Amino acid sequence: MTSIVQTDDVLGGEPRIEGTRIGVLDVYDLAVEGGHSPADVADQLDRSLGEIYTALAYYHEHPKKMRALRQAQTDTKRTLAAEALQPPETVQ
């Protein structure tokens, strides 16, 4: 039976398919946002169809957690983009 787990030292603690570094959000993004069938996602990620459905079920069973994770990812991307576009300070 496939499990969704969270450990602080893997994927920053985001929920993932046990024994992998494949996050629930990654599966959702491929299947729903990317428009791929769960069977295609399973093939792309070399996982079983059951694992993909387990990840998708977890996503839909934990909407608040998924929104919070998505917001954290967005905030991190904005911060990194802002810092990357600023010129370095000159040292005199």
Side-chain angles (χ1 to χ4, degrees):
M1 177 88 179
T2 301
S3 296
I4 301 299
V5 296
Q6 290 181 259
T7 51
D8 291 337
D9 60 339
V10 180
L11 291 182
E14 290 186 20
R16 62 186 171 82
I17 298 171
E18 185 174 27
T20 74
R21 295 181 56 81
I22 300 171
V24 169
L25 287 176
D26 299 324
V27 172
Y28 179 85
D29 287 346
L30 283 169
V32 178
E33 301 293 326
H36 298 284
S37 72
D40 287 341
V41 174
D43 187 49
Q44 289 175 31
L45 299 176
D46 195 28
R47 307 307 323 161
S48 73
L49 190 55
E51 289 173 307
I52 300 307
Y53 277 118
T54 298
L56 292 171
Y58 185 94
Y59 180 94
H60 290 290
E61 290 170 356
H62 300 89
K64 289 181 183 179
K65 181 184 284 190
M66 296 297 105
R67 279 194 300 273
L69 287 172
R70 181 79 68 199
Q71 186 61 50
Q73 285 182 346
T74 300
D75 293 345
T76 299
K77 287 177 185 176
R78 282 189 188 134
T79 299
L80 292 173
E83 290 174 359
L85 296 177
Q86 295 177 4
E89 295 180 27
T90 57
V91 180
Q92 297 183 4

